[in-house]
Amino acid sequence: MDKLRIYLKSYDHKLLDQSAKKIAEVVKKNGSEVTGPLPLPTKTKKYTVLRSVHVNKDSREQFEMRVHRRVVEIKNSSQQIISALTSLSLPSGVGIEIKQL
């Protein structure tokens, strides 16, 4: 196997940085080269809600959700590294997607 690219997503950037650091440490410990974690642009979803139900349409509230993203790239990956990554426990607020290049 050649390269693995790991995409991480989370609403909390601190959790995201901790889990990316964990992944990089595990890969380095198993003797492979790591590039990253590289920050990707933060996606912002905005929602506008009326404050009152029937009257005062001009009075609105805005909420936003920010999705922080990181990429970790692993060069010269092996079966040992993949098994180490699958046994790694990440926090529940972090989404992970692994692509093989």
Side-chain angles (χ1 to χ4, degrees):
M1 286 182 239
D2 291 332
K3 280 186 182 180
L4 285 178
R5 200 172 272 167
I6 301 173
Y7 293 97
L8 301 167
K9 288 182 182 180
S10 177
Y11 296 120
D12 186 9
H13 66 92
K14 292 177 186 175
L15 274 179
L16 191 62
D17 289 334
Q18 287 174 359
S19 54
K21 212 179 269 188
K22 253 189 209 177
I23 290 173
E25 286 174 5
V26 167
V27 172
K28 284 180 185 176
K29 194 182 289 184
N30 286 315
S32 188
E33 220 177 296
V34 179
T35 305
L38 301 172
L40 293 175
T42 302
K43 289 191 175 182
T44 307
K45 296 178 184 178
K46 292 188 178 180
Y47 299 100
T48 304
V49 180
L50 292 174
R51 284 186 191 209
S52 72
V53 185
H54 301 293
V55 208
N56 304 330
K57 189 173 191 294
D58 296 335
S59 174
R60 300 177 189 194
E61 262 184 306
Q62 287 189 331
F63 301 98
E64 69 178 25
M65 287 181 7
R66 294 184 178 181
V67 180
H68 301 277
R69 302 179 298 159
R70 303 283 185 271
V71 172
V72 178
E73 196 169 285
I74 302 169
K75 298 176 183 171
N76 305 326
S77 63
S78 64
Q79 194 65 33
Q80 182 184 11
I81 291 173
I82 293 173
S83 63
L85 286 174
T86 54
S87 66
L88 185 67
S89 64
L90 292 177
S92 61
V94 178
I96 185 168
E97 182 183 335
I98 300 174
K99 288 189 179 178
Q100 193 172 9
L101 303 175

